[in-house]
Amino acid sequence: MLTQTHLTRWADVLVRHATDIKPGDIVRITAQTNAEPLLVAVYRKVLEAGGMPVVNCRPEALGEAFFELANEDQLDWASPFAQLETEKVDATINIAASTNLRTMDQFDPAIIQRAAKANRASRELFFQRAAVADDPSLDSELKPLLWSTTLFPTNAYAQDAGMSLSAYSEFVIKACQLNQEDPVAFWQQLDEWQSLLAEKLMQGSELHFYTPAGTDLTVNTADMRWLSSPGRKNFPDGEVYSGPNLNADNGGADGVVFFDKRCVYQGHAVRNARIVMENGRATEVTAEEGEDFLISMLDQDEGARRIGEVAFGTNRAIDTPTGQILYDEKMGGSFHLAFGAGYPETGNVNKSALHWDLIASLGEGSKVTLDGEPFCIDGKFVTMPPEVTWL
């Protein structure tokens, strides 16, 4: 189980590595009620670093109450305080600790989408400031914004993963590498290796994915920027990511992709989804589970059927899907595509209220080529220095 040592190390990574808090930084800490042990540890670390913590503790029942009772004006209301916070904070640390992953199942997805659209301006400002933090050379007057999201173990997450709370907590400790004597040093070492992987990807322009499950997909990433994600925006972490070149002749992507991992969004599960891409758009969509919901998400706005992100998972300590995308998309030997909004720092400018990561295995028999040359075979990267050592 999680000990105080684990909590302190976890908070240390979030404050010292993920968001790099400096004296005077305004730090927004948003947490659900059950995350109190980690919330307190993070709060203390922010104070030790000289930061100015602002805490938003959000009981889970508030979301249910909102969608049960909100009228049309309330659904369409964009909080000016949320916009002001997004303008003023220097860093944001989010700690999720859900106790019921099915709370939103009772509500029409269209209502949830409507509320999301109402806050689109503050969300887009958030991502624009985050892009400046990733690439200071961007021509922008906006202040950089560092952020990180993590999940605190609860029975709900454990049940969704098919584990006891004790077993799930051990899984989290392993995925976060909290048994490393110095987790901050470990994640910095991962960043160095992933940066080499990103550099190699930027030397090419066309990825071809093939898997025995049914993927035969070409993604054009010419002139796109690949980035290492080593425990900063997400924790735990382990991925390199970019976005398709939407101006390419094929619209960024064409072919077929089969997502063989169970993926959950807003409490709805999708399993074994098959999507046909033509000229950069999803034209045929089927799934063994959750097909109607998947289609409704892809139909919510103009950008939702385009790909905003393409990424490889590198976390070898995560070897089984849990139903939580923050962990599952990082799984070593996998790749994922996000439909909807892209990350401006990668060069992908797709806009949408949606950003849904769907995951596919890169196991035995799979092959990814970069400009026709082998890049990832059977889930292992070729012609690369040795990977970091995962406990």
Side-chain angles (χ1 to χ4, degrees):
M1 294 293 288
L2 281 165
T3 66
Q4 189 59 48
T5 297
H6 291 134
L7 292 170
T8 300
R9 288 174 175 173
W10 197 341
D12 198 35
V13 174
L14 294 173
V15 172
R16 194 156 62 91
H17 171 68
T19 52
D20 191 24
I21 303 305
K22 299 290 192 299
D25 284 350
I26 302 173
V27 186
R28 175 174 55 190
I29 310 170
T30 301
Q32 291 179 296
T33 310
N34 282 277
E36 182 178 346
L38 183 56
L39 168 61
V40 172
V42 169
Y43 186 85
R44 293 176 66 90
K45 284 291 181 181
V46 170
L47 290 173
E48 289 175 6
M52 310 300 181
V54 178
V55 176
N56 293 340
C57 194
R58 306 177 66 177
E60 198 168 3
L62 297 186
E64 183 178 4
F66 179 80
F67 289 109
E68 178 185 343
L69 300 172
N71 59 35
E72 292 191 357
D73 289 339
Q74 290 166 327
L75 287 171
D76 293 333
W77 183 63
S79 169
F81 303 106
Q83 182 76 9
L84 183 62
E85 274 194 354
T86 305
E87 293 173 2
K88 297 296 185 183
V89 298
D90 297 296
T92 293
I93 297 173
N94 303 304
I95 310 172
S98 181
T99 59
N100 186 343
L101 301 177
R102 303 290 175 262
T103 301
M104 295 299 163
D105 288 6
Q106 60 187 304
F107 301 113
D108 184 349
I111 295 176
I112 298 174
Q113 294 166 27
R114 182 172 177 175
K117 289 178 181 178
N119 291 286
R120 186 169 181 172
S122 62
R123 184 171 57 251
E124 289 186 355
L125 175 61
F126 179 94
F127 283 117
Q128 288 167 355
R129 289 190 58 198
V132 174
D134 279 325
D135 186 1
S137 68
L138 288 175
D139 184 16
S140 174
E141 297 179 354
L142 295 173
K143 291 194 306 179
L145 173 64
L146 296 174
W147 63 276
S148 186
T149 293
T150 196
L151 301 185
F152 188 78
T154 66
N155 277 313
Y157 297 141
Q159 289 169 354
D160 207 41
M163 303 178 191
S164 67
L165 180 58
S166 176
Y168 187 76
S169 297
E170 291 299 324
F171 164 81
V172 170
I173 291 168
K174 183 177 72 168
C176 295
Q177 294 291 284
L178 299 180
N179 281 332
Q180 295 272 1
E181 186 174 341
D182 186 352
V184 170
F186 169 82
W187 291 100
Q188 290 173 343
Q189 183 184 10
L190 177 68
D191 191 17
E192 293 174 5
W193 183 84
Q194 287 186 165
S195 295
L196 295 175
L197 190 63
E199 288 174 10
K200 183 173 181 178
L201 283 159
M202 284 190 287
Q203 293 171 6
S205 60
E206 187 174 273
L207 286 164
H208 180 259
F209 296 86
Y210 168 82
T211 70
T215 294
D216 188 356
L217 179 76
T218 300
V219 179
N220 187 297
T221 59
D223 302 320
M224 297 293 101
R225 186 178 181 214
W226 283 87
L227 296 169
S228 164
S229 190
R232 294 196 175 96
K233 296 180 177 65
N234 295 165
F235 192 74
D237 214 334
E239 69 171 299
V240 291
Y241 68 99
S242 186
N245 181 350
L246 303 180
N247 295 319
D249 290 341
N250 68 348
D254 57 29
V256 180
V257 56
F258 185 81
F259 300 104
D260 58 338
K261 298 299 183 185
R262 176 174 174 265
C263 301
V264 180
Y265 187 75
Q266 295 180 350
H268 295 264
V270 169
R271 189 191 306 272
N272 289 344
R274 181 181 183 272
I275 298 180
V276 176
M277 300 296 301
E278 295 180 291
N279 197 31
R281 294 186 61 83
T283 57
E284 297 178 29
V285 181
T286 59
E288 290 184 13
E289 177 186 351
E291 180 178 310
D292 290 344
F293 178 75
L294 175 58
I295 292 173
S296 73
M297 290 295 99
L298 297 179
D299 283 342
Q300 66 181 274
D301 57 38
E302 178 63 25
R305 283 186 175 248
R306 292 192 177 275
I307 298 172
E309 178 190 5
V310 55
F312 292 91
T314 66
N315 190 322
R316 302 293 180 183
I318 302 176
D319 56 9
T320 183
T322 65
Q324 295 304 311
I325 192 64
L326 184 137
Y327 292 102
D328 297 352
E329 68 173 357
K330 313 303 190 306
M331 193 183 313
S334 74
F335 77 95
H336 59 273
L337 305 176
F339 283 84
Y343 294 113
E345 60 267 34
T346 67
N348 183 285
V349 294
N350 196 43
K351 292 186 177 181
S352 173
L354 181 71
H355 182 94
W356 187 355
D357 297 287
L358 297 168
I359 308 163
S361 298
L362 287 174
E364 186 175 353
S366 67
K367 182 178 182 180
V368 182
T369 60
L370 179 64
D371 291 345
E373 296 296 323
F375 174 73
C376 185
I377 307 298
D378 298 333
K380 302 294 176 61
F381 299 103
V382 299
T383 64
M384 281 291 296
E387 296 186 30
V388 297
T389 301
W390 297 86
L391 295 182

PDB file of all heavy atoms in Angstrom, residues 30 50 61 113 125 152 224 247 272 290 307 323 348-349 379 385:
ATOM      1  N   THR A  30      -6.013  21.263  -7.957  1.00  0.00           N
ATOM      2  CA  THR A  30      -7.399  20.815  -8.054  1.00  0.00           C
ATOM      3  C   THR A  30      -7.452  19.341  -7.703  1.00  0.00           C
ATOM      4  O   THR A  30      -6.723  18.538  -8.291  1.00  0.00           O
ATOM      5  CB  THR A  30      -7.948  21.037  -9.476  1.00  0.00           C
ATOM      6  OG1 THR A  30      -7.861  22.424  -9.798  1.00  0.00           O
ATOM      7  CG2 THR A  30      -9.395  20.591  -9.571  1.00  0.00           C
ATOM      8  N   GLY A  50       8.305  27.553  -2.106  1.00  0.00           N
ATOM      9  CA  GLY A  50       8.077  28.989  -2.143  1.00  0.00           C
ATOM     10  C   GLY A  50       6.897  29.409  -2.994  1.00  0.00           C
ATOM     11  O   GLY A  50       6.705  30.605  -3.254  1.00  0.00           O
ATOM     12  N   ALA A  61     -19.803  14.576  -6.216  1.00  0.00           N
ATOM     13  CA  ALA A  61     -21.260  14.705  -6.352  1.00  0.00           C
ATOM     14  C   ALA A  61     -21.671  16.009  -7.039  1.00  0.00           C
ATOM     15  O   ALA A  61     -22.797  16.120  -7.533  1.00  0.00           O
ATOM     16  CB  ALA A  61     -21.921  14.610  -4.979  1.00  0.00           C
ATOM     17  N   GLN A 113     -21.494  17.513 -23.683  1.00  0.00           N
ATOM     18  CA  GLN A 113     -20.768  18.207 -24.745  1.00  0.00           C
ATOM     19  C   GLN A 113     -21.106  19.694 -24.753  1.00  0.00           C
ATOM     20  O   GLN A 113     -20.234  20.553 -24.955  1.00  0.00           O
ATOM     21  CB  GLN A 113     -21.120  17.606 -26.102  1.00  0.00           C
ATOM     22  CG  GLN A 113     -20.663  16.164 -26.293  1.00  0.00           C
ATOM     23  CD  GLN A 113     -21.318  15.529 -27.502  1.00  0.00           C
ATOM     24  OE1 GLN A 113     -21.691  16.208 -28.450  1.00  0.00           O
ATOM     25  NE2 GLN A 113     -21.495  14.229 -27.461  1.00  0.00           N
ATOM     26  N   LEU A 125      -7.259  28.713 -24.109  1.00  0.00           N
ATOM     27  CA  LEU A 125      -6.215  29.551 -23.519  1.00  0.00           C
ATOM     28  C   LEU A 125      -5.235  28.699 -22.727  1.00  0.00           C
ATOM     29  O   LEU A 125      -4.013  28.913 -22.788  1.00  0.00           O
ATOM     30  CB  LEU A 125      -6.846  30.609 -22.620  1.00  0.00           C
ATOM     31  CG  LEU A 125      -5.862  31.494 -21.824  1.00  0.00           C
ATOM     32  CD1 LEU A 125      -4.957  32.282 -22.783  1.00  0.00           C
ATOM     33  CD2 LEU A 125      -6.620  32.429 -20.893  1.00  0.00           C
ATOM     34  N   PHE A 152      -5.149   9.332  -8.005  1.00  0.00           N
ATOM     35  CA  PHE A 152      -4.933   8.722  -6.702  1.00  0.00           C
ATOM     36  C   PHE A 152      -5.761   7.445  -6.612  1.00  0.00           C
ATOM     37  O   PHE A 152      -6.928   7.423  -7.014  1.00  0.00           O
ATOM     38  CB  PHE A 152      -5.346   9.703  -5.597  1.00  0.00           C
ATOM     39  CG  PHE A 152      -4.977   9.248  -4.223  1.00  0.00           C
ATOM     40  CD1 PHE A 152      -3.680   9.364  -3.767  1.00  0.00           C
ATOM     41  CD2 PHE A 152      -5.930   8.682  -3.378  1.00  0.00           C
ATOM     42  CE1 PHE A 152      -3.331   8.942  -2.494  1.00  0.00           C
ATOM     43  CE2 PHE A 152      -5.603   8.257  -2.112  1.00  0.00           C
ATOM     44  CZ  PHE A 152      -4.287   8.382  -1.662  1.00  0.00           C
ATOM     45  N   MET A 224       6.090  18.252 -38.461  1.00  0.00           N
ATOM     46  CA  MET A 224       5.500  18.269 -37.124  1.00  0.00           C
ATOM     47  C   MET A 224       6.598  18.111 -36.068  1.00  0.00           C
ATOM     48  O   MET A 224       7.671  17.565 -36.347  1.00  0.00           O
ATOM     49  CB  MET A 224       4.473  17.143 -36.960  1.00  0.00           C
ATOM     50  CG  MET A 224       3.264  17.251 -37.876  1.00  0.00           C
ATOM     51  SD  MET A 224       2.184  18.672 -37.520  1.00  0.00           S
ATOM     52  CE  MET A 224       2.688  19.813 -38.812  1.00  0.00           C
ATOM     53  N   ASN A 247      -2.088  19.331 -43.519  1.00  0.00           N
ATOM     54  CA  ASN A 247      -1.948  19.874 -44.882  1.00  0.00           C
ATOM     55  C   ASN A 247      -1.309  18.886 -45.852  1.00  0.00           C
ATOM     56  O   ASN A 247      -1.093  19.227 -47.018  1.00  0.00           O
ATOM     57  CB  ASN A 247      -1.106  21.158 -44.845  1.00  0.00           C
ATOM     58  CG  ASN A 247      -1.790  22.269 -44.068  1.00  0.00           C
ATOM     59  OD1 ASN A 247      -3.007  22.458 -44.189  1.00  0.00           O
ATOM     60  ND2 ASN A 247      -1.029  23.000 -43.270  1.00  0.00           N
ATOM     61  N   ASN A 272     -12.611  -2.692 -29.110  1.00  0.00           N
ATOM     62  CA  ASN A 272     -12.386  -3.206 -30.464  1.00  0.00           C
ATOM     63  C   ASN A 272     -13.013  -2.295 -31.527  1.00  0.00           C
ATOM     64  O   ASN A 272     -13.846  -2.715 -32.332  1.00  0.00           O
ATOM     65  CB  ASN A 272     -12.920  -4.632 -30.590  1.00  0.00           C
ATOM     66  CG  ASN A 272     -12.069  -5.634 -29.828  1.00  0.00           C
ATOM     67  OD1 ASN A 272     -10.936  -5.336 -29.451  1.00  0.00           O
ATOM     68  ND2 ASN A 272     -12.614  -6.809 -29.583  1.00  0.00           N
ATOM     69  N   GLY A 290     -19.859  -0.006 -27.443  1.00  0.00           N
ATOM     70  CA  GLY A 290     -19.841   1.453 -27.387  1.00  0.00           C
ATOM     71  C   GLY A 290     -19.835   2.147 -28.732  1.00  0.00           C
ATOM     72  O   GLY A 290     -19.459   3.325 -28.807  1.00  0.00           O
ATOM     73  N   ILE A 307      -7.621  13.588 -36.617  1.00  0.00           N
ATOM     74  CA  ILE A 307      -6.682  13.147 -35.574  1.00  0.00           C
ATOM     75  C   ILE A 307      -5.871  14.347 -35.095  1.00  0.00           C
ATOM     76  O   ILE A 307      -5.252  15.051 -35.895  1.00  0.00           O
ATOM     77  CB  ILE A 307      -5.749  12.047 -36.122  1.00  0.00           C
ATOM     78  CG1 ILE A 307      -6.561  10.826 -36.537  1.00  0.00           C
ATOM     79  CG2 ILE A 307      -4.715  11.660 -35.065  1.00  0.00           C
ATOM     80  CD1 ILE A 307      -5.745   9.767 -37.266  1.00  0.00           C
ATOM     81  N   GLY A 323      -8.354   0.621 -17.838  1.00  0.00           N
ATOM     82  CA  GLY A 323      -9.567   1.404 -18.045  1.00  0.00           C
ATOM     83  C   GLY A 323      -9.358   2.888 -17.826  1.00  0.00           C
ATOM     84  O   GLY A 323     -10.258   3.681 -18.097  1.00  0.00           O
ATOM     85  N   ASN A 348       0.152  20.659 -34.829  1.00  0.00           N
ATOM     86  CA  ASN A 348      -1.196  20.252 -35.217  1.00  0.00           C
ATOM     87  C   ASN A 348      -2.189  21.282 -34.676  1.00  0.00           C
ATOM     88  O   ASN A 348      -2.232  21.529 -33.471  1.00  0.00           O
ATOM     89  CB  ASN A 348      -1.520  18.863 -34.669  1.00  0.00           C
ATOM     90  CG  ASN A 348      -2.892  18.369 -35.101  1.00  0.00           C
ATOM     91  OD1 ASN A 348      -3.911  18.819 -34.601  1.00  0.00           O
ATOM     92  ND2 ASN A 348      -2.921  17.427 -36.030  1.00  0.00           N
ATOM     93  N   VAL A 349      -2.987  21.852 -35.560  1.00  0.00           N
ATOM     94  CA  VAL A 349      -3.882  22.946 -35.168  1.00  0.00           C
ATOM     95  C   VAL A 349      -5.346  22.522 -35.190  1.00  0.00           C
ATOM     96  O   VAL A 349      -6.242  23.375 -35.178  1.00  0.00           O
ATOM     97  CB  VAL A 349      -3.674  24.172 -36.079  1.00  0.00           C
ATOM     98  CG1 VAL A 349      -2.286  24.750 -35.882  1.00  0.00           C
ATOM     99  CG2 VAL A 349      -3.882  23.806 -37.552  1.00  0.00           C
ATOM    100  N   GLY A 379       6.809  -4.208 -30.979  1.00  0.00           N
ATOM    101  CA  GLY A 379       6.716  -3.341 -29.816  1.00  0.00           C
ATOM    102  C   GLY A 379       8.037  -2.835 -29.287  1.00  0.00           C
ATOM    103  O   GLY A 379       8.081  -2.130 -28.273  1.00  0.00           O
ATOM    104  N   PRO A 385      19.467   3.683 -28.482  1.00  0.00           N
ATOM    105  CA  PRO A 385      20.215   3.311 -27.274  1.00  0.00           C
ATOM    106  C   PRO A 385      19.332   2.514 -26.329  1.00  0.00           C
ATOM    107  O   PRO A 385      18.094   2.569 -26.425  1.00  0.00           O
ATOM    108  CB  PRO A 385      20.592   4.661 -26.658  1.00  0.00           C
ATOM    109  CG  PRO A 385      20.477   5.646 -27.769  1.00  0.00           C
ATOM    110  CD  PRO A 385      19.399   5.141 -28.671  1.00  0.00           C
TER     111      PRO A 385
END
